[in-house]
Amino acid sequence: MSLSIARDEESFTIADRLPVLPLRDVVVFPYVIIPLLVGRAASLAALDAASEDQWVFLVAQRNGEVQDPASGDLFRIGVVARILQLTRLPNGTSKVLVEGVARARVTRYSATEQYLRAAIAPMPLSSTAQESNDRARGRRALSLFEEYAALHRRIPAEVIGMVQGLESEVQRAYAIAAHVLVGLDQRQELLENSTIAGLVERVAELLQGEIEILRLERKIEDDVRGTLFQNQREFYLQEQLKAIHRELGQDDADDLAELAELIASKPLPDTTRVRAERELRKLRRSSPLSPESSVTRNYLEWMLALPWSERSDDVIDVMHAQHVLDEDHFGLEEVKDRILDYIATLAVVGRLEGPILCLVGPPGVGKTSLGRSIARALGRRFVRMSLGGVRDEAEIRGHRRTYIGSMPGRVLQAMRRAEVINPVLLLDEVDKMGQDWRGDPAAALLEVLDPEQNRTFSDHYLEMDYDLSQVLFVTTANSLATIPEALRDRMETIRLPGYLDHEKHAIARQFLIPKQFKLHGIDPALVTLDQAALAAIVRGYTREAGVRELERRIARIARKLARRMASSPGSPLDLTNIGPNDLHGLLGIVQYDPDDWSVEDRVGVANGLAYTQSGGELLEIEVSSVRGRGKLQLTGTLGDVMKESASAALSFTRARARHLGVDADFYRTRDIHVHVPAGATPKDGPSAGIAIAVATVSALTEVPVRGDIAMTGEITLRGRVLPIGGLKEKSVAALRSGVREIIMPAANAREIEEMPAEVRASMIFHPVSTMDEVLALALRIPVPVEASVTAVAGARTH
């Protein structure tokens, strides 16, 4: 089939389906003759198909990056073009000269094996009855184009003459549109205009906008050229930048005036104000191109950004503080009591130098979030500073200004973020700092955390005294062992033991379940987690001192529920009451066996207690005695201190062999193998000494050790039991594992009062001073006459 298209007085008969030649970043207008370089296979095939009647349909791609465009990648309006000349090039591409004839709209794209074809319909421009208005618009557009060409260097003068010589308003409008350097979308918009008046008006609007931009560029260039001297490229660029800033309403003089005004208005100490004014005078005298200028400007900006006297008002209300702490955290009574004491003292005295609190406990017990709650209870700003992995002393004190890119240390950076001089500053993971040839950051913290020195803290970058005495410092750590003694001495240590099961249940009910359900788009009122199911999660899917893993398990349940909701949108959730039987489908198989700790009496196996960075742990210590030559073998990745404890336990057993009913020469005829399971986990410390001794005696005498009792304490060669650390955490771990009696050093008996109430009510503590008392309790071996245990053996403490 064929159709007829008209252009002015000419008429052309063409096929109603034409090969499509997609154009990248080019829009061809009617009356325009333009050369095109064609290289894509589909485009070359389209040219071959069009070579018979010399007609092709030119249409622009929406995205020029698409290599093989489909119908959806092309615009719907293009130009029917006539091929005037086609040249094959040696590299496989073709150069074609085409002439745009008339606009056409695609009614349908169809794909052949090699190229696209388009069924088209003509789109002639409609004219208005008011020809005088059209001529006026045309003259305005021509005048604007002449001005545009005069300002633009890329348009030769011959183009202006060619456009002026065109008689038709449509030809003149399309010629101008072809030479205006605008974007693809704007050029396509010009092609799609349906009326002559609309086309000419839109061309005039684009020309007006481009002329304004060219005038501004010319003005900036003229301003720069007028002040240019010595023909230096660097100065030329700087002047050009100044001219741009002036056009934007910015100026260096304004910046210096703002700095001077800020120095005058900010309440600075006298020495700080004098230093700031001196630095400002230096900045005024220095050249903007000199490196010293940027260094001085940065120094002034840092000095003025720090708070020097700005402070927030403390909320001195003990009841409010207690409400906030109870609302954010369950339990932690000792920590809350310390904070309330501080607030009460602040209410009485009016001013109290900020204490340095060190919260020590296993991961996931709420140390970091507790610092945020303290700030909220006091009505202070909260700033967190992580010290994990910090090895450079300059991270704390800053770098001196002689270094490029130097800046203050993390302490002053935190104060800048706080914007007040009395925030709550949390130093997180203070036990994770390292040291190397660049210095010891822990030593730099000594001045920060000393109330007698931090009122005159000196930063290498600032080089002035800064008052940190009103900051409430809160530090967190998993263990005190890696904190230097001098730094530990400056902090008030508060231990956070692991949570008991009932505390985890309460935390999950009050905080974790509502939080995770809301985060996953589930209404907590519609889904309930059965108490038995929650207990099963705590026992079977987590084994930790904190609640971090518990929160992850609850989040996994929430994701499973959210998936069910997404699978059937609009339908009510099919699982609203989660019971123990539903956990396998939500969380998978049980990760931990609640009954994996045996309470049966066994020969050569004793329950020891250990304290790690993750909290208290129950350790099985196994000792085997076999025929041999008196060799002592220690396995289980034991540290040097623990190996020494095993040697001391063996020496004690040899010394008391006659009283224990053991062959006196066993050390010659028997091999002793001490093993602590979980062999891949490093273990160290002296507190397993009495447990190793009990297991050794049990293996040699074949008397079973009580399985319902755990023990901790350091042993000496003479059988004395010395105190240990971490008793609270160890007791919590024992209760969690089902053990109900603990043998402990008598020197640690005073710590029983600080135990959680549930631990004191559920556990039986046996304070001991000698190994004879330990053996009497653990093995039920009769105690020798010289050993007295009647005072403490079997004492129950609540």
Side-chain angles (χ1 to χ4, degrees), residues 308-367:
W308 294 92
S309 58
E310 300 86 350
R311 56 177 294 122
S312 58
D313 296 331
D314 291 332
V315 180
I316 308 176
D317 187 342
V318 178
M319 298 302 296
H320 166 75
Q322 185 170 6
H323 173 73
V324 169
L325 295 175
D326 291 339
E327 182 182 15
D328 291 348
H329 292 83
F330 183 85
L332 307 178
E333 299 302 331
E334 181 183 356
V335 184
K336 296 176 182 179
D337 189 59
R338 298 277 189 96
I339 301 301
L340 294 177
D341 290 345
Y342 169 75
I343 297 175
T345 305
L346 190 64
V348 175
V349 179
R351 175 184 173 88
L352 186 65
E353 299 297 340
I356 291 90
L357 305 178
C358 182
L359 307 179
V360 181
V365 296
K367 300 184 297 296

Coordinates of all heavy atoms in Angstrom, one line a residue, residues 308-367:
W308 N 32.5 26.5 73.6 CA 33.4 27.0 74.7 C 32.6 27.3 76.0 O 33.2 27.1 77.1 CB 34.1 28.2 74.2 CG 35.1 27.9 73.1 CD1 34.8 28.0 71.8 CD2 36.4 27.5 73.2 NE1 35.9 27.7 71.0 CE2 36.9 27.3 71.9 CE3 37.3 27.2 74.3 CZ2 38.2 26.9 71.6 CZ3 38.6 26.8 74.0 CH2 39.0 26.6 72.7
S309 N 31.4 27.8 75.9 CA 30.6 28.0 77.1 C 29.2 27.6 76.9 O 28.4 27.7 77.9 CB 30.7 29.5 77.4 OG 30.2 30.3 76.3
E310 N 28.8 27.2 75.7 CA 27.4 26.8 75.5 C 27.1 25.5 76.2 O 27.9 24.5 76.2 CB 27.1 26.5 74.0 CG 27.3 27.8 73.1 CD 28.7 28.0 72.7 OE1 29.6 27.3 73.2 OE2 29.0 28.9 71.8
R311 N 26.0 25.4 77.0 CA 25.7 24.2 77.7 C 24.2 23.9 77.7 O 23.4 24.9 77.5 CB 26.2 24.3 79.2 CG 25.7 25.5 79.9 CD 26.2 25.5 81.4 NE 25.6 24.4 82.1 CZ 26.3 23.4 82.7 NH1 27.6 23.5 82.7 NH2 25.7 22.5 83.4
S312 N 23.8 22.7 77.9 CA 22.4 22.3 77.9 C 22.0 22.3 79.4 O 22.8 22.0 80.3 CB 22.2 21.0 77.3 OG 23.0 20.0 77.9
D313 N 20.8 22.6 79.7 CA 20.3 22.6 81.1 C 20.0 21.1 81.5 O 19.3 20.4 80.8 CB 19.0 23.4 81.2 CG 19.2 24.9 80.9 OD1 20.4 25.3 81.1 OD2 18.3 25.5 80.4
D314 N 20.6 20.8 82.7 CA 20.4 19.4 83.2 C 18.9 19.3 83.7 O 18.4 20.2 84.3 CB 21.4 19.1 84.3 CG 22.8 19.0 83.8 OD1 22.9 18.6 82.6 OD2 23.7 19.3 84.5
V315 N 18.4 18.1 83.5 CA 17.1 17.8 84.1 C 17.3 17.1 85.4 O 17.6 15.9 85.5 CB 16.3 16.8 83.1 CG1 14.9 16.5 83.8 CG2 16.1 17.5 81.8
I316 N 17.3 17.9 86.5 CA 17.6 17.4 87.8 C 16.4 16.9 88.5 O 15.8 17.6 89.3 CB 18.4 18.5 88.6 CG1 19.5 19.0 87.8 CG2 18.9 17.9 90.0 CD1 20.2 20.2 88.5
D317 N 15.9 15.7 88.1 CA 14.7 15.1 88.6 C 14.9 13.6 88.8 O 15.0 12.9 87.8 CB 13.5 15.4 87.7 CG 12.2 15.0 88.3 OD1 12.2 14.2 89.2 OD2 11.1 15.4 87.8
V318 N 15.1 13.2 90.0 CA 15.4 11.8 90.3 C 14.3 10.9 89.8 O 14.6 9.8 89.2 CB 15.7 11.6 91.8 CG1 16.0 10.1 92.0 CG2 16.9 12.5 92.2
M319 N 13.1 11.2 90.0 CA 12.0 10.4 89.6 C 11.9 10.3 88.1 O 11.6 9.2 87.5 CB 10.6 11.0 90.2 CG 10.6 11.0 91.7 SD 10.8 9.3 92.4 CE 9.4 8.5 91.8
H320 N 12.1 11.4 87.4 CA 12.1 11.4 85.9 C 13.2 10.5 85.4 O 13.0 9.7 84.5 CB 12.2 12.8 85.4 CG 12.6 12.8 83.9 ND1 11.7 12.6 82.9 CD2 13.8 13.1 83.3 CE1 12.2 12.7 81.7 NE2 13.5 13.0 81.9
A321 N 14.4 10.6 86.0 CA 15.5 9.8 85.6 C 15.3 8.3 85.8 O 15.6 7.5 85.0 CB 16.8 10.2 86.3
Q322 N 14.7 8.0 86.9 CA 14.4 6.6 87.2 C 13.4 6.0 86.2 O 13.5 4.9 85.8 CB 13.9 6.4 88.7 CG 13.7 5.0 89.1 CD 13.4 4.8 90.5 OE1 13.3 5.8 91.3 NE2 13.3 3.6 91.0
H323 N 12.4 6.9 85.9 CA 11.4 6.4 84.9 C 12.0 6.2 83.5 O 11.7 5.2 82.9 CB 10.3 7.5 84.8 CG 9.3 7.2 83.7 ND1 8.3 6.3 83.8 CD2 9.1 7.8 82.5 CE1 7.6 6.3 82.7 NE2 8.1 7.2 81.9
V324 N 12.9 7.1 83.1 CA 13.6 6.9 81.8 C 14.4 5.7 81.8 O 14.4 4.9 80.9 CB 14.4 8.2 81.5 CG1 15.3 7.9 80.3 CG2 13.6 9.4 81.3
L325 N 15.2 5.4 82.9 CA 16.1 4.3 82.9 C 15.3 3.0 82.9 O 15.6 2.0 82.3 CB 17.0 4.4 84.1 CG 18.0 5.5 84.1 CD1 18.8 5.5 85.4 CD2 19.0 5.4 83.0
D326 N 14.2 3.0 83.7 CA 13.3 1.8 83.7 C 12.6 1.5 82.4 O 12.4 0.4 82.0 CB 12.3 1.9 84.9 CG 13.0 1.8 86.2 OD1 14.1 1.3 86.3 OD2 12.4 2.3 87.2
E327 N 12.3 2.6 81.7 CA 11.6 2.5 80.5 C 12.5 1.9 79.4 O 12.1 1.2 78.5 CB 11.1 3.9 80.0 CG 10.3 3.9 78.7 CD 9.8 5.3 78.3 OE1 10.4 6.2 78.9 OE2 9.0 5.4 77.5
D328 N 13.8 2.3 79.4 CA 14.7 1.8 78.4 C 15.4 0.5 78.7 O 15.8 -0.2 77.7 CB 15.8 2.9 78.2 CG 15.3 4.2 77.6 OD1 14.1 4.1 77.1 OD2 16.0 5.2 77.6
H329 N 15.6 0.1 79.9 CA 16.3 -1.1 80.3 C 15.6 -1.8 81.4 O 15.1 -1.2 82.4 CB 17.7 -0.8 80.7 CG 18.6 -0.2 79.6 ND1 18.5 1.1 79.2 CD2 19.4 -0.8 78.7 CE1 19.4 1.3 78.2 NE2 19.9 0.1 77.9
F330 N 15.6 -3.1 81.3 CA 15.1 -4.0 82.3 C 16.3 -4.5 83.2 O 17.3 -4.9 82.7 CB 14.4 -5.2 81.7 CG 13.7 -6.1 82.7 CD1 12.5 -5.8 83.2 CD2 14.4 -7.2 83.2 CE1 11.9 -6.7 84.2 CE2 13.9 -8.0 84.1 CZ 12.6 -7.8 84.6
G331 N 16.1 -4.5 84.5 CA 17.1 -4.9 85.4 C 18.2 -3.8 85.5 O 17.9 -2.6 85.6
L332 N 19.5 -4.3 85.6 CA 20.7 -3.4 85.8 C 20.5 -2.4 86.9 O 20.7 -1.2 86.8 CB 20.9 -2.6 84.5 CG 21.0 -3.4 83.2 CD1 21.2 -2.5 82.0 CD2 22.1 -4.4 83.3
E333 N 20.0 -3.0 88.1 CA 19.7 -2.1 89.2 C 20.9 -1.4 89.7 O 20.8 -0.2 90.2 CB 19.1 -3.0 90.3 CG 17.8 -3.6 89.9 CD 16.7 -2.6 89.4 OE1 16.7 -1.5 89.9 OE2 15.9 -3.0 88.6
E334 N 22.1 -2.0 89.8 CA 23.3 -1.4 90.3 C 23.7 -0.2 89.5 O 24.0 0.9 90.0 CB 24.4 -2.4 90.4 CG 25.7 -1.7 90.9 CD 26.9 -2.7 90.9 OE1 26.7 -3.9 90.5 OE2 28.0 -2.3 91.3
V335 N 23.6 -0.3 88.2 CA 24.0 0.8 87.3 C 23.0 2.0 87.5 O 23.4 3.1 87.6 CB 24.0 0.3 85.8 CG1 24.4 1.5 84.9 CG2 24.9 -0.9 85.7
K336 N 21.7 1.6 87.5 CA 20.7 2.7 87.7 C 20.9 3.4 89.0 O 20.7 4.6 89.1 CB 19.3 2.1 87.6 CG 19.0 1.5 86.2 CD 17.6 0.8 86.2 CE 17.3 0.2 84.9 NZ 15.9 -0.5 84.9
D337 N 21.2 2.6 90.0 CA 21.4 3.2 91.4 C 22.6 4.2 91.4 O 22.5 5.2 92.0 CB 21.7 2.1 92.4 CG 21.6 2.6 93.8 OD1 20.6 3.1 94.2 OD2 22.7 2.4 94.5
R338 N 23.7 3.9 90.7 CA 24.8 4.8 90.6 C 24.4 6.1 89.9 O 24.8 7.2 90.3 CB 26.0 4.1 89.9 CG 26.5 2.9 90.5 CD 27.5 3.2 91.6 NE 28.2 2.0 92.1 CZ 29.3 1.5 91.6 NH1 30.0 2.2 90.7 NH2 29.9 0.4 92.1
I339 N 23.7 5.9 88.8 CA 23.3 7.1 88.0 C 22.3 8.0 88.9 O 22.4 9.2 88.9 CB 22.6 6.7 86.7 CG1 23.6 5.9 85.9 CG2 22.1 7.9 85.9 CD1 24.9 6.6 85.6
L340 N 21.4 7.4 89.5 CA 20.4 8.2 90.4 C 21.2 8.9 91.5 O 20.8 10.0 91.9 CB 19.4 7.2 90.9 CG 18.4 6.6 89.8 CD1 17.4 5.7 90.5 CD2 17.7 7.7 89.1
D341 N 22.2 8.2 92.1 CA 23.0 8.9 93.1 C 23.7 10.1 92.5 O 23.7 11.2 93.2 CB 24.1 7.9 93.6 CG 23.5 6.8 94.5 OD1 22.3 6.9 94.9 OD2 24.2 5.8 94.7
Y342 N 24.2 10.0 91.3 CA 24.8 11.2 90.7 C 23.8 12.3 90.5 O 24.1 13.5 90.7 CB 25.5 10.7 89.4 CG 25.9 11.9 88.5 CD1 27.1 12.6 88.8 CD2 25.2 12.3 87.4 CE1 27.5 13.6 88.0 CE2 25.6 13.3 86.6 CZ 26.8 14.0 86.9 OH 27.2 15.0 86.1
I343 N 22.7 12.0 90.0 CA 21.7 13.0 89.7 C 21.2 13.7 91.0 O 21.0 14.9 91.1 CB 20.5 12.4 89.0 CG1 20.9 11.9 87.6 CG2 19.3 13.4 88.8 CD1 19.9 11.2 86.8
A344 N 21.0 12.9 92.1 CA 20.6 13.4 93.4 C 21.7 14.3 93.9 O 21.3 15.4 94.5 CB 20.3 12.3 94.3
T345 N 22.9 14.0 93.8 CA 24.0 14.9 94.3 C 24.0 16.1 93.5 O 24.3 17.2 94.0 CB 25.4 14.1 94.1 OG1 25.3 12.9 94.8 CG2 26.5 15.0 94.7
L346 N 23.8 16.0 92.2 CA 23.8 17.2 91.3 C 22.6 18.2 91.8 O 22.7 19.4 91.7 CB 23.6 16.8 89.9 CG 23.8 17.9 88.8 CD1 25.2 18.4 88.8 CD2 23.4 17.3 87.4
A347 N 21.5 17.6 92.2 CA 20.4 18.4 92.6 C 20.7 19.1 94.0 O 20.2 20.2 94.2 CB 19.1 17.5 92.8
V348 N 21.5 18.5 94.8 CA 21.8 19.1 96.1 C 22.9 20.1 96.0 O 22.8 21.2 96.5 CB 22.2 18.0 97.1 CG1 22.6 18.6 98.4 CG2 21.0 17.0 97.4
V349 N 24.0 19.7 95.3 CA 25.2 20.6 95.2 C 25.0 21.6 94.1 O 25.5 22.8 94.3 CB 26.4 19.7 95.0 CG1 27.7 20.6 94.9 CG2 26.6 18.7 96.1
G350 N 24.4 21.3 93.1 CA 24.3 22.2 91.9 C 25.3 22.1 90.9 O 25.0 22.4 89.7
R351 N 26.5 21.6 91.2 CA 27.5 21.3 90.2 C 28.4 20.2 90.7 O 28.8 20.2 91.9 CB 28.4 22.6 90.0 CG 29.6 22.4 89.1 CD 30.4 23.6 89.0 NE 31.6 23.4 88.2 CZ 31.8 23.5 86.9 NH1 30.7 23.9 86.2 NH2 32.9 23.3 86.3
L352 N 28.7 19.3 89.9 CA 29.5 18.1 90.2 C 30.4 17.8 89.1 O 29.9 17.6 87.9 CB 28.6 16.9 90.6 CG 29.3 15.7 91.2 CD1 29.9 16.0 92.5 CD2 28.3 14.5 91.3
E353 N 31.7 17.6 89.3 CA 32.6 17.3 88.3 C 32.2 15.9 87.7 O 31.9 15.0 88.4 CB 34.0 17.2 88.8 CG 34.5 18.6 89.3 CD 34.6 19.6 88.2 OE1 34.6 19.3 87.0 OE2 34.6 20.8 88.6
G354 N 32.2 15.8 86.4 CA 31.6 14.6 85.7 C 32.4 13.4 86.1 O 33.6 13.3 86.0
P355 N 31.8 12.4 86.6 CA 32.4 11.1 86.9 C 32.8 10.3 85.7 O 32.2 10.6 84.6 CB 31.4 10.4 87.8 CG 30.1 10.9 87.3 CD 30.3 12.3 86.9
I356 N 33.7 9.4 85.7 CA 34.0 8.5 84.6 C 33.5 7.1 85.0 O 34.1 6.5 85.8 CB 35.5 8.6 84.3 CG1 35.9 9.9 83.8 CG2 35.9 7.5 83.3 CD1 36.4 10.9 84.8
L357 N 32.5 6.7 84.3 CA 31.9 5.4 84.6 C 32.4 4.4 83.5 O 32.4 4.7 82.3 CB 30.3 5.5 84.5 CG 29.7 6.5 85.4 CD1 28.2 6.4 85.2 CD2 30.0 6.2 86.9
C358 N 32.8 3.2 83.9 CA 33.2 2.2 83.0 C 32.2 1.0 83.2 O 32.2 0.3 84.2 CB 34.6 1.7 83.3 SG 35.2 0.5 82.2
L359 N 31.4 0.8 82.1 CA 30.4 -0.3 82.1 C 31.1 -1.6 81.5 O 31.5 -1.6 80.3 CB 29.2 0.0 81.3 CG 28.5 1.4 81.7 CD1 27.3 1.6 80.8 CD2 28.1 1.3 83.2
V360 N 31.3 -2.6 82.3 CA 32.0 -3.8 81.9 C 31.0 -4.9 81.9 O 30.3 -5.2 82.9 CB 33.2 -4.1 82.8 CG1 33.9 -5.4 82.4 CG2 34.2 -2.9 82.9
G361 N 31.0 -5.6 80.8 CA 30.1 -6.8 80.7 C 30.1 -7.5 79.4 O 30.8 -6.9 78.4
P362 N 29.5 -8.6 79.2 CA 29.6 -9.3 77.9 C 28.8 -8.6 76.9 O 28.0 -7.7 77.1 CB 28.9 -10.7 78.3 CG 28.1 -10.4 79.5 CD 28.8 -9.3 80.3
P363 N 29.0 -9.0 75.6 CA 28.3 -8.3 74.5 C 26.8 -8.5 74.6 O 26.3 -9.6 75.0 CB 28.8 -9.0 73.3 CG 30.1 -9.6 73.7 CD 30.0 -10.0 75.1
G364 N 26.0 -7.5 74.2 CA 24.6 -7.7 74.1 C 23.8 -7.4 75.4 O 22.6 -7.7 75.4
V365 N 24.5 -6.9 76.5 CA 23.7 -6.7 77.7 C 23.2 -5.2 77.8 O 22.6 -4.9 78.8 CB 24.6 -7.0 79.0 CG1 24.9 -8.5 79.0 CG2 25.9 -6.2 79.0
G366 N 23.5 -4.4 76.8 CA 23.0 -3.0 76.8 C 23.9 -2.0 77.3 O 23.4 -0.9 77.8
K367 N 25.2 -2.1 77.2 CA 26.1 -1.1 77.7 C 26.0 0.2 76.8 O 25.9 1.3 77.4 CB 27.6 -1.7 77.6 CG 27.8 -2.9 78.5 CD 29.2 -3.3 78.5 CE 29.7 -3.7 77.1 NZ 29.0 -4.9 76.6

